[in-house]
Amino acid sequence: MGLSALLVRDAKFFARSLAAPSLLDAAAGADADVAAAALSKAGRWTVTVDTPCGEFEAAYVPWRWRGPEYPTLVYHHGSGERPFDFGRFGTNSFRRLFVAADSEIPANVVAVRAPFHDGTNAAYARAMGDLENFVGMLAASVGLMEELTVRARERTDGSVHLAGISLGGWATNLHRACFDTADGYVPMFAGAALGEMFVSSAYRKLTGAPARRNPGRLREVLDFEEAFAAVDADDCRPLLGRYDRIIEYEAQRPGYGEMAPVVLNRGHVTGSLATARLREHVLDGLSNGRARETADGRM
C-alpha cells in the first residue's frame, strides 16, 4: 500500500471531492437494461447504467453458457483488474478461478466489468479522486448485477448466484443489501463497512488527505452494515482473511452477524492468490443458498 501510494502520488481516492449520495441509495437507484437473449450470446456486451451519480459504462461477458437447466454464476472482479483479459498472461482473478481451471464449472458463468476498468490503472486512479465516481462505479456494478439476475431468471430454471472478490465482494454484499434477489451470495475479502476500510485499514495510505481528515463523511456515505444486517435470509457464504490488512477481519467480521465466514489464515494478496481454495469456496456456494420459489408458490 505504501508503494502504491507513492506511485499514484496526488491521484488518491477522494482527494478532489467528497460530494456524493449514499452508496446504498445510489445502488438501489441504479438502472440497467440487458436484452434477455443477449445473456447467453458470446461476446463482450457494454451496458450504460443510469445511477443517481450519472451514467456509467459497465460490461459483461457470458463466458460459459451451458443451458437453462444449470445454475447461473455472476462474478465480479477486484479493484484495478482487467477482468476480460483471458489470455495466457492475464493476471485477473476471473482468469485464475475460471478460465485456467482444470475442471469444468457446473454453471452458466457470466463475468462483470465495473466502470473505469477498461483503461489504464492511472486513468482509474484519477477517476477515483471524486467520491461520486467511486459511488457511481459500485452502484453501476450492482445495477448491472441486478439486471443480469433478472434476465437469468427469465432464461433458466436454475438458481442465480452472485460472487466477487475484494471490490467484487463489496458489490456482491451491496446487491444483497439493496435487492436480495439472487439465490446465493459469495463475497470474498469484503464486508459491509466500506467507509471504515478507507479510514482505518492499510488502504488509508491510498486515501486522499481531505477524506482522511473527514472519516465520518466516508462512513456516512459508504458503510451499509445496517441494511445488510436487515436482510433476513440464509443466502450468504462469506470468506475473509484472518491477516488481511485491507479487509480487516476484526473490522468486517461483525457485519456478518451470526453468519460463519470461512476464514483463511492469509492476508489480502496471499489469500487472493489461493486459487484452488477460492474456487472451492465459489463452487460450494453454488450448492447453497435459499430455495427458489416457483410461480405457483412452491419451493
Side-chain angles (χ1 to χ4, degrees):
M1 289 299 99
L3 178 60
S4 296
L6 291 175
L7 291 174
V8 299
R9 296 185 180 180
D10 296 330
K12 294 183 178 180
F13 280 79
F14 326 136
R16 286 191 302 269
S17 172
L18 295 178
S22 81
L23 179 59
L24 195 68
D25 290 344
D31 182 51
D33 187 17
V34 172
L39 186 61
S40 58
K41 288 184 178 180
R44 301 183 184 187
W45 298 85
T46 299
V47 180
T48 299
V49 186
D50 188 20
T51 81
C53 301
E55 291 186 344
F56 291 82
E57 187 177 280
Y60 70 96
V61 166
W63 180 69
R64 288 287 185 272
W65 192 264
R66 296 187 170 279
E69 69 275 20
Y70 284 89
T72 299
L73 174 67
V74 179
Y75 179 84
H76 193 299
H77 59 87
S79 178
E81 292 186 18
R82 298 294 171 266
F84 298 163
D85 183 1
F86 302 147
R88 179 180 177 184
F89 299 106
T91 60
N92 62 80
S93 59
F94 186 85
R95 184 187 182 281
R96 292 196 302 271
L97 291 175
F98 303 106
V99 179
D102 294 330
S103 58
E104 295 291 340
I105 306 298
N108 303 313
V109 181
V110 181
V112 166
R113 186 185 71 202
F116 305 115
H117 283 77
D118 58 343
T120 65
N121 284 331
Y124 171 55
R126 285 194 298 271
M128 294 302 100
D130 295 307
L131 180 58
E132 188 173 44
N133 278 343
F134 181 78
V135 169
M137 175 185 70
L138 264 176
S141 284
V142 170
L144 178 55
M145 292 165 82
E146 170 62 6
E147 178 71 1
L148 293 173
T149 299
V150 171
R151 296 307 182 188
R153 289 196 180 284
E154 295 175 355
R155 294 295 308 277
T156 75
D157 298 319
S159 54
V160 182
H161 302 260
L162 306 185
I165 188 168
S166 195
L167 178 69
W170 293 104
T172 299
N173 281 343
L174 185 58
H175 183 280
R176 182 177 182 271
C178 291
F179 298 104
D180 195 39
T181 51
D183 298 291
Y185 293 86
V186 188
M188 298 179 287
F189 306 111
L194 182 52
E196 188 63 38
M197 184 196 77
F198 286 103
V199 167
S200 60
S201 80
Y203 218 78
R204 186 175 184 273
K205 295 180 183 293
L206 294 179
T207 304
R212 291 199 305 271
R213 290 194 296 266
N214 198 350
R217 174 63 179 163
L218 294 186
R219 294 187 180 104
E220 176 188 7
V221 172
L222 298 178
D223 288 357
F224 56 95
E225 289 176 297
E226 185 175 342
F228 184 81
V231 178
D232 185 19
D234 183 23
D235 57 1
C236 188
R237 301 293 181 270
L239 180 146
L240 293 170
R242 191 178 304 279
Y243 307 117
D244 195 330
R245 296 289 305 282
I246 297 173
I247 315 299
E248 295 180 307
Y249 179 84
E250 296 299 333
Q252 303 302 331
R253 172 64 184 88
Y256 287 114
E258 295 183 0
M259 300 178 201
V262 169
V263 181
L264 300 186
N265 289 321
R266 292 173 178 254
H268 194 78
V269 175
T270 55
S272 298
L273 294 176
T275 301
R277 186 64 188 89
L278 298 185
R279 186 187 302 119
E280 177 187 355
H281 184 70
V282 172
L283 292 176
D284 286 345
L286 289 176
S287 60
N288 288 292
R290 58 190 174 190
R292 180 170 173 181
E293 188 174 354
T294 61
D296 61 3
R298 294 178 293 124
M299 303 299 282

